[in-house]
Amino acid sequence: MDASDAAAVEVEGLQKNYGKFQALKGVSFSVRPGEVYGLIGPNGAGKTTTLRILATLLQISGGAVRVFGIDVGKKPEEVRKVISYLPEEAGAYKNLTGRQYLEFIARFFAHGDAEHAMVARGLEIVRLDDRIDDKVEEYSKGMMRRLLVGRALMTAPRLAILDELTSGLDVINAQQIRRIVKDEAKAGTTFLVSSHNMLEVELLCDRLSLIHDGVIVETGTPAELKAKHHANNIEEVFMAVAA
Amino acid sequence: MTALTNIIRKELKELLTPSTVVPIVIMALLFGGIGSMMGNVAEQVTAKPIVGVVPMDTGVLANISLSCINQTATLAYNGTSVDAGLQNVSGQSGIAVLYIPANFTASIMSGHHGSLEIYWIMRGAGLLDSISSSTVDGLLARIGQEISAYLIGTGVSLPANIVLSPVARVETTYFHNMVMQGVSPSTLGNVLSSQSLIVPIIIMMIVIMAGSLVISSMGMEKENKTLETLLTLPVGRGSIVAGKLIASAMVGLLMAGIYMIGFSYYMGGLSGSAQVNLAAYGLVITPVDYVLLGVSVFASLFAALALCMVLGTFAKNYKAAQTLTMPITLLAMVPMFMTMFWDYNTLPPAAQAIVFAIPFSHPMMAMRSLMFKDYLFVLAGIGYSLAFAVVMILIAVWIFRTDRLLTGRLMKGKPGSGSRKGIWRLMNLARR
């Protein structure tokens, strides 16, 4: 098996145009299996566009993207079987209870006992206790995010793509969710996350890329980047690179 | 600028969007078109009817009748053969041939009603199609009045009922290659309308209800932020489109079924006593016809929902979805009114093309076509509706496979929540 076969995500010269506006101008990076990989950058840098392309939601204008060797542009259906995507602004069907929502999602991936096991796993991640049987429309923002994280991870995806993982969560909820991600990564799931929260990125990611104006400007482990830019934390690295 | 004008400007900007203005403009154009067609009806009412006459009597009362006909109508035929008269009158888009029998004057003068035989050429069974025959009805009433006036003026001793109502009509209607004796076009039109009125109304209800469900479903997916997740699940785009269509069709049919039960009771109450036994002329709906009607309804509903699915992809949220149901409502109302007021065959070619192009029209027209065994027209409608549905589904699936669903308009799109501000900033900078 060569290095290419081993990569969970390979992005080579990725371009994305919205009309005349070029959102991505040749983004390249690769993610190893079991790695928690961060994509950070300012608003409009191209993080969400990159994640949406990997999640098969947007078409590619140029370059190549592969997930576990599967071409995202050519075989999006195959890619969807091995990924799970959590958008920054996501919701659930308001007429369903939390449990019904998890069951609805699980039925796309498994049947019978496997389906029940998947839902049980989701319930374990979500930890909403009795509130899991309340309608989703009654959930707070934190409860909703936990439900969605549970939904994204209960299917045991080979690659989890999480956009602004802890968006809108308080410190306690955010820390719990980061812990879940760490545990899942140890169990073998590969993570690609984007975040504005530099502390979160530093705590969570094995490696990260800084994206700015549609191109990757830095890549490395948090320690490597801090050493390279003589910075105390990733926020200082970010400021140094952005400057 | 005061705070008030500032708020007014903001509200106007939010309210006056293309999605709110365009449907109103379409509606205005539609009413304009219907108004113009109604204008044609008014012309029909005031125009002289084209008739033929076969005067077999040379008596004074026949001459009075002829004089009335000459003054009130345009004469397309004046001869001795009813068949030749029908041919001539039909060729000139006329309405009827009036046959004055040889004993017309003698019969009245001997104290009996004088029979005036009317051979109607009926072209359509819509509510407004009978307008032209009503002008001839007016002419016949005038003949009766003129003869009454003559009888009173001459002081002939006759029973009062004969003097006041000297003419008895003997009517025969030619419609769809059928000869119906003892039936006038207005009577036949009324009976046919009451028989086939319920279908257009039910179809319109189904289309509007199920259609708005599909469009709202798409709007809700976007508003509730569930669409992105749905599109990344291991399920084909075709399955998503089909799932939404089937579920909406089921709910739409259920709703329509409930309405249909209530409405059929309502219609049953209105048309309890039919004036014409249509079965006597072979105008019956057989079980096979009902199956064809069902297939036509299904094909039409399928086409409507597929069109709504395409429209639904434009819905940014629930509010926008509600606005997008307007074109569907209009599209459902146009054929309903058209088929209610006019027969398809009596519409001008442009209107026929419009009605045929709207897939919801076909089940509305199917009931009457099936009654007259015009199977080719019904099957053509079913074929067209299904082809329309397939094309719309393919377009919907194609849209689901593109960025269109998430990014909206390309130049003003919102490619990603994270990059939204940046792109808008860049777009604004570019505009400056």
Side-chain angles (χ1 to χ4, degrees), chain A:
Chain A
M1 188 182 286
D2 61 26
S4 170
D5 288 335
V9 176
E10 290 171 279
V11 179
E12 293 168 4
L14 178 61
Q15 294 173 25
K16 178 64 188 174
N17 303 327
Y18 294 107
K20 289 178 183 172
F21 174 70
Q22 193 170 27
L24 300 179
K25 301 169 182 170
V27 169
S28 298
F29 63 92
S30 71
V31 182
R32 299 171 196 136
E35 195 173 31
V36 180
Y37 196 92
L39 209 54
I40 60 172
N43 287 334
K47 303 185 299 292
T48 297
T49 298
T50 305
L51 297 191
R52 280 179 155 190
I53 287 173
L54 276 157
T56 74
L57 288 170
L58 296 180
Q59 292 174 321
I60 299 165
S61 303
V65 182
R66 285 180 290 277
V67 172
F68 293 105
I70 308 164
D71 192 307
V72 171
K74 289 178 183 165
K75 293 182 178 174
E77 297 87 2
E78 294 301 311
V79 173
R80 286 181 206 126
K81 290 176 186 170
V82 298
I83 65 161
S84 190
Y85 174 56
L86 176 63
E88 179 188 359
E89 288 180 23
Y93 298 103
K94 290 179 178 174
N95 282 330
L96 300 181
T97 65
R99 186 190 302 276
Q100 286 168 339
Y101 178 66
L102 295 179
E103 287 168 351
F104 167 72
I105 298 293
R107 283 194 286 272
F108 288 107
F109 294 88
H111 301 284
D113 290 343
E115 179 194 324
H116 297 310
M118 191 176 281
V119 174
R121 182 179 149 80
L123 294 174
E124 202 178 312
I125 297 168
V126 172
R127 289 184 192 169
L128 285 175
D129 303 325
D130 293 344
R131 298 298 306 275
I132 196 70
D133 290 313
D134 288 349
K135 285 207 169 174
V136 165
E137 63 186 351
E138 294 169 17
Y139 285 8
S140 68
K141 193 169 184 179
M143 290 164 71
M144 175 68 88
R145 200 65 182 167
R146 287 174 74 110
L147 178 71
L148 294 171
V149 170
R151 183 275 296 166
L153 299 181
M154 74 175 182
T155 59
R158 291 181 74 189
L159 171 68
I161 303 165
L162 312 174
D163 195 359
E164 299 294 343
L165 174 64
T166 55
S167 168
L169 293 184
D170 59 37
V171 175
I172 297 167
N173 273 307
Q175 196 179 49
Q176 285 175 346
I177 285 178
R178 281 198 293 270
R179 194 174 299 135
I180 292 167
V181 170
K182 282 274 189 190
D183 291 345
E184 294 296 317
K186 278 181 196 161
T189 300
T190 305
F191 284 89
L192 177 58
V193 299
S194 84
S195 182
H196 286 104
N197 186 336
M198 300 299 154
L199 177 64
E200 178 171 283
V201 169
E202 196 170 344
L203 289 170
L204 198 61
C205 297
D206 300 314
R207 283 195 308 144
L208 55 92
S209 284
L210 267 73
I211 186 168
H212 184 64
D213 198 20
V215 290
I216 299 285
V217 289
E218 273 292 9
T219 296
T221 65
E224 284 170 355
L225 293 175
K226 281 190 285 186
K228 183 177 175 183
H229 292 277
H230 310 291
N232 294 315
N233 52 49
I234 293 297
E235 193 170 270
E236 287 181 15
V237 172
F238 183 85
M239 293 308 292
V241 172

Side-chain angles (χ1 to χ4, degrees), chain B residues 1-337:
Chain B
M1 189 186 292
T2 66
L4 177 64
T5 53
N6 197 21
I7 287 172
I8 291 171
R9 275 182 62 154
K10 189 271 291 179
E11 290 296 326
L12 286 175
K13 225 172 187 177
E14 279 190 4
L15 296 173
L16 285 174
T17 59
S19 58
T20 54
V21 174
V22 170
I24 302 299
V25 173
I26 293 171
M27 194 182 255
L29 290 172
L30 182 73
F31 279 115
I34 289 177
S36 145
M37 293 188 85
M38 290 291 185
N40 293 340
V41 170
E43 280 172 25
Q44 271 184 32
V45 172
T46 52
K48 280 185 174 182
I50 299 170
V51 298
V53 65
V54 181
M56 303 305 286
D57 183 15
T58 52
V60 63
L61 299 185
N63 287 338
I64 289 172
S65 304
L66 265 177
S67 168
C68 275
I69 294 167
N70 276 320
Q71 285 170 21
T72 319
T74 303
L75 217 54
Y77 177 81
N78 189 346
T80 55
S81 164
V82 171
D83 288 340
L86 283 168
Q87 211 168 357
N88 273 347
V89 171
S90 178
Q92 293 182 45
S93 302
I95 299 156
V97 172
L98 308 176
Y99 178 83
I100 305 172
N103 65 346
F104 183 72
T105 303
S107 180
I108 296 173
M109 288 304 190
S110 63
H112 298 95
H113 288 292
S115 294
L116 192 60
E117 295 177 22
I118 306 135
Y119 296 89
W120 296 99
I121 301 165
M122 188 176 171
R123 291 191 170 77
L127 293 175
L128 294 181
D129 285 321
S130 58
I131 292 288
S132 52
S133 69
S134 64
T135 58
V136 176
D137 280 330
L139 163 65
L140 295 169
R142 193 179 160 192
I143 289 173
Q145 286 166 6
E146 292 286 332
I147 292 174
S148 292
Y150 173 81
L151 295 174
I152 293 165
T154 53
V156 181
S157 175
L158 290 172
N161 67 320
I162 299 298
V163 172
L164 293 173
S165 178
V167 179
R169 294 185 191 185
V170 178
E171 296 176 296
T172 302
T173 298
Y174 291 80
F175 186 46
H176 275 277
N177 299 322
M178 285 180 159
V179 182
M180 301 179 193
Q181 288 179 335
V183 180
S184 72
S186 54
T187 310
L188 183 61
N190 287 341
V191 173
L192 287 175
S193 293
S194 67
Q195 296 274 322
S196 55
L197 188 68
I198 190 167
V199 177
I201 293 171
I202 294 298
I203 296 298
M204 188 195 70
M205 282 178 184
I206 297 176
V207 165
I208 293 173
M209 284 179 183
S212 64
L213 285 174
V214 171
I215 297 176
S216 301
S217 157
M218 289 303 301
M220 293 292 279
E221 289 274 9
K222 288 187 185 175
E223 188 167 303
N224 292 337
K225 315 280 182 197
T226 50
L227 186 62
E228 284 188 58
T229 302
L230 184 65
L231 293 175
T232 57
L233 294 173
V235 54
R237 301 299 197 238
S239 298
I240 296 173
V241 171
K244 285 185 177 293
L245 288 183
I246 292 167
S248 302
M250 287 165 75
V251 176
L253 284 172
L254 178 72
M255 286 175 168
I258 295 166
Y259 268 89
M260 199 184 282
I261 292 166
F263 204 82
S264 59
Y265 276 111
Y266 166 72
M267 290 304 293
L270 284 185
S271 56
S273 56
Q275 299 148 293
V276 180
N277 180 16
L278 295 175
Y281 302 102
L283 298 179
V284 287
I285 296 288
T286 64
V288 174
D289 293 340
Y290 275 114
V291 170
L292 278 173
L293 181 65
V295 173
S296 182
V297 170
F298 170 78
S300 174
L301 179 62
F302 204 44
L305 293 179
L307 174 63
C308 289
M309 180 58 82
V310 173
L311 282 173
T313 62
F314 293 87
K316 286 181 278 187
N317 48 44
Y318 188 73
K319 184 187 162 199
Q322 295 303 306
T323 311
L324 281 165
T325 58
M326 180 74 90
I328 291 296
T329 307
L330 289 176
L331 277 180
M333 286 172 78
V334 168
M336 191 197 76
F337 284 121

